[in-house]
C-alpha cells in the first residue's frame, strides 16, 4: 500500500476516534470529524487504487 494511502487511512481512523469522543462529550463538532473521515477514506481508496492500477 502506498505511503499516501496509509497516511490518509491513519487520518481517517483518528478522525473517527475524534468524532466518537466529540459525540460522547455531547458536542456537535463530531459532524466535522465525520466529514473529515469520509474525505480521508475516499483519499485512501483513491491512492490505493491508483497504485494498484500503475503496478498492475
Amino acid at each position: 500500500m502506498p505511503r499516501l494511502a496509509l497516511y490518509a487511512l491513519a487520518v481517517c481512523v483518528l478522525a473517527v476516534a475524534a468524532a466518537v469522543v466529540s459525540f460522547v462529550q455531547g458536542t456537535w463538532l463530531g459532524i466535522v470529524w465525520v466529514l473529515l473521515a469520509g474525505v480521508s477514506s475516499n483519499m485512501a481508496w483513491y491512492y490505493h487504487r491508483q497504485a494498484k492500477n500503475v503496478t498492475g
Side-chain angles (χ1 to χ4, degrees):
M1 189 177 263
R3 185 176 296 169
L4 282 175
L6 289 175
Y7 289 155
L9 189 60
V11 169
C12 181
V13 170
L14 290 174
V16 168
V20 169
V21 169
S22 292
F23 284 129
V24 166
Q25 289 180 350
T27 62
W28 287 97
L29 186 62
I31 294 172
V32 175
W33 291 114
V34 169
L35 293 174
L36 181 63
V39 169
S40 61
S41 170
N42 287 339
M43 288 175 60
W45 179 83
Y46 172 77
Y47 287 129
H48 178 69
R49 293 288 291 175
Q50 185 181 26
K52 195 174 183 182
N53 289 337
V54 168
T55 58

